[in-house]
Amino acid sequence: MLFFTQCFGAVLDLIHLRFQHYKAKRVFSAAGQLVCVVNPTHSLKYAPTLCAAAQTSTEQGILPPCHHHEAVHDPQLVPCVCPLFSCPWEGHLEVVVSHLRQTHHINILQGAEIVFLATDMHLPAPTDWIIMHSCLGHQFLLVLRKQEKYEGHPQFFATMMLIGTPTQADNFTYRLELNRNQRRLKWEATPRSVLECVDSVISDGDCLVLNTSLAQLFSDNGSLAIGIAITTSKVHNSEAEM
């Protein structure tokens, strides 16, 4: 009976996963888009932090230390950029992706356009949904965070970070799009570099921001599908339209 129960539970999980994929493809009907179901993870290091970064140091590829990091003495080394953990790792920017995949088990998808399907949006804050996106010869870190910026009023923050320098990030434009029930919400901006710290981007509000009511309008049975597209661009443009 125990064996049967475990097998039956696994079958139900597979059915649920397939159903989530179907819902995302129904919302985003464009052929060829890759759908990724992303489960939530409670942050193990969450604390409101601000990365006070000097523009000169970030342009040189040096990460100004967050409050939870010690100072980086070797300018060639950067701390772990994963927003979920207080990770003591540091290394060269070129091996950040390997560290995120091997140590923190963050999945990576390839393609110019994908669908990011975040499940269990009802969970209490703080909660993160994270994935890496490989496109146009570079790797990006997509972070969706549920956080109480004001007590009792959780909000959702979604941003795309380039695993590279700020100068390289200026060459791209990313678009996040929600589309459901004849409603469309789009955010388009230049990605920020991971050297600038995800916490700082969210604190500044330089990302797609949804309050709970707006998130519910676009969610489907507790899941939120976000279409992601990345293009090469020199134009600095940031907009949110509905």
Side-chain angles (χ1 to χ4, degrees):
M1 285 296 294
L2 179 62
F3 176 77
F4 174 79
T5 302
Q6 291 177 340
C7 290
F8 185 69
V11 171
L12 287 180
D13 289 340
L14 289 175
I15 293 175
H16 177 69
L17 183 63
R18 294 291 296 177
F19 181 64
Q20 295 284 10
H21 277 269
Y22 169 76
K23 289 194 301 180
K25 289 184 178 181
R26 183 186 62 193
V27 175
F28 292 88
S29 58
Q33 283 188 311
L34 180 62
V35 178
C36 179
V37 178
V38 184
N39 294 319
T41 304
H42 284 283
S43 177
L44 301 180
K45 68 101 188 159
Y46 178 79
T49 58
L50 291 175
C51 296
Q55 183 65 26
T56 54
S57 63
T58 55
E59 285 294 334
Q60 294 172 358
I62 305 173
L63 176 63
C66 295
H67 292 271
H68 57 275
H69 287 299
E70 296 180 357
V72 180
H73 301 290
D74 187 343
Q76 300 300 318
L77 300 179
V78 296
C80 174
V81 299
C82 182
L84 288 174
F85 305 96
S86 292
C87 179
W89 179 91
E90 63 178 15
H92 293 277
L93 190 61
E94 292 78 11
V95 296
V96 167
V97 173
S98 298
H99 170 72
L100 292 177
R101 297 195 67 181
Q102 296 174 8
T103 302
H104 301 301
H105 307 291
I106 296 179
N107 293 326
I108 185 168
L109 293 178
Q110 296 185 2
E113 296 187 11
I114 64 174
V115 176
F116 179 94
L117 184 64
T119 65
D120 300 321
M121 302 293 294
H122 61 278
L123 292 178
T127 303
D128 288 323
W129 294 259
I130 298 177
I131 199 169
M132 284 190 291
H133 183 189
S134 179
C135 178
L136 301 174
H138 289 77
Q139 284 74 42
F140 300 82
L141 189 69
L142 177 67
V143 179
L144 173 65
R145 174 173 296 172
K146 185 177 183 180
Q147 177 177 317
E148 287 190 357
K149 199 165 186 179
Y150 306 101
E151 186 176 356
H153 298 280
Q155 294 177 301
F156 294 89
F157 303 85
T159 187
M160 182 76 75
M161 311 285 289
L162 173 72
I163 302 179
T165 66
T167 301
Q168 292 174 320
D170 287 341
N171 296 325
F172 299 95
T173 297
Y174 76 94
R175 185 179 73 247
L176 304 179
E177 184 174 329
L178 292 83
N179 190 347
R180 184 172 182 267
N181 291 339
Q182 298 181 340
R183 298 180 179 89
R184 177 175 297 178
L185 180 66
K186 182 173 68 174
W187 168 268
E188 186 171 298
T190 299
R192 301 278 286 273
S193 166
V194 292
L195 300 177
E196 299 179 58
C197 187
V198 174
D199 293 337
S200 177
V201 175
I202 291 177
S203 297
D204 294 341
D206 185 17
C207 55
L208 174 63
V209 182
L210 304 172
N211 58 32
T212 304
S213 299
L214 195 56
Q216 288 177 350
L217 284 177
F218 289 97
S219 66
D220 185 4
N221 195 28
S223 296
L224 187 67
I226 304 176
I228 305 168
I230 300 177
T231 57
T232 303
S233 175
K234 287 285 187 179
V235 179
H236 296 263
N237 181 29
S238 177
E239 65 174 5
E241 64 181 29
M242 186 172 179

